[in-house]
Amino acid sequence: MSRLLTVNGLSVAYGAIEAVRDVSFVVEEGQIVSLIGANGAGKTTTLRTISGLLRPRAGEIRFDGQRIDSLPAHTILAKGIAQCPEGRRTFGRMTVEENLQLGAYTRSDDKVEADIRRVYELFPVLGERRQQKAGLFSGGEQQMLAIGRAMMSRPRLLMLDEPSMGLSPIMTQRIFDTIRELQAQGTTILLVEQNALAALALSDRGYVIDLGATTLEGPGPELLADTRVREAYLGEG
Ligand code: ATP
């Protein structure tokens, strides 16, 4: 397996606030890797820095072996990293189809329509409601649209920030099933979740971020069985 993403000694600050102090992890091609941790641990900041929306103060980020930590966000997207942000951020006044077309704005090939059909196969409800405005949709449907839109850039690495936030257990299960399906179709996934149980159960590898630093790591099921993880994140002990 090849290393698709390597984050090493990452530190990111908002002015005097050091949100990320020492985060290191590796995502191998084809894996689902999750970052778990409490509110404010620095997970979102880490994803935004990988996307090029924030600049690191120290450390390095490599994608496919090349440094990307000083590249602009649009170049990083064009290299194959897409982020599906927390809170979904779909365009409420645009239709489902327009949202999906926007997700393909970096592309100039002729397969965009075929990929839109692929999103509708993955999420039939989006196909049925393709001409409706996204703002009318439920939280779960907007999450599907946000994932579909991120897929439209044909990413090699899809980063999902809290995809289960605010969703019912049934909808959460559907989103996690879809993540597995995307992996089966060849997409590598970096997942940020507060729902540690669901995320680790699905992940090839997991990392715990605590106060801006990676503190524990291991295969998903192994971390899930770790008493420190169970006490801190699964409300046990
Ligand atoms: P959550 O799941 O709640 O989003 P998180 O692990 O993703 O948590 P971050 O959002 O990365 O954590 O936040 C890390 C720290 O940085 C927190 O202490 C937060 O208050 C702070 N922070 C985040 N964004 C900003 C900002 N724009 N300006 C100043 N501080 C910020």
Side-chain angles (χ1 to χ4, degrees), residues 1-35:
M1 256 192 292
S2 69
R3 292 184 157 197
L4 190 57
L5 181 78
T6 311
V7 173
N8 197 8
L10 190 70
S11 159
V12 191
Y14 300 98
I17 302 170
E18 199 180 31
V20 169
R21 321 181 262 118
D22 187 12
V23 163
S24 301
F25 63 92
V26 174
V27 181
E28 308 269 0
E29 184 128 45
Q31 282 188 330
I32 298 177
V33 171
S34 54
L35 307 178

Side-chain angles (χ1 to χ4, degrees), residues 14 17 19 37-46 86 161-162 192 194:
Y14 300 98
I17 302 170
N39 259 327
K43 306 180 298 297
T44 297
T45 303
T46 299
E86 192 175 347
D161 195 353
E162 302 273 0
V192 157
Q194 289 201 34

Side-chain angles (χ1 to χ4, degrees), residues 48-138:
R48 289 176 60 80
T49 309
I50 296 167
S51 288
L53 300 168
L54 295 169
R55 289 278 162 247
R57 200 166 63 168
E60 48 174 64
I61 303 171
R62 285 180 189 273
F63 184 61
D64 225 1
Q66 292 178 326
R67 288 283 292 263
I68 58 164
D69 44 79
S70 56
L71 299 179
H74 64 90
T75 308
I76 292 173
L77 178 65
K79 280 184 178 294
I81 302 183
Q83 184 177 349
C84 186
E86 192 175 347
R88 295 150 210 149
R89 313 246 169 91
T90 55
F91 298 100
R93 292 198 196 153
M94 295 170 76
T95 65
V96 166
E97 192 127 327
E98 287 164 346
N99 269 277
L100 293 176
Q101 280 157 351
L102 254 188
Y105 83 97
T106 53
R107 293 172 51 180
S108 52
D109 59 275
D110 58 4
K111 303 217 170 59
V112 171
E113 289 306 316
D115 283 357
I116 289 180
R117 282 200 296 279
R118 195 174 141 229
V119 172
Y120 294 156
E121 275 164 28
L122 203 55
F123 300 117
V125 66
L126 296 182
E128 287 156 21
R129 302 177 66 181
R130 65 180 65 162
Q131 298 306 340
Q132 290 185 23
K133 302 238 187 308
L136 302 170
F137 282 33
S138 72

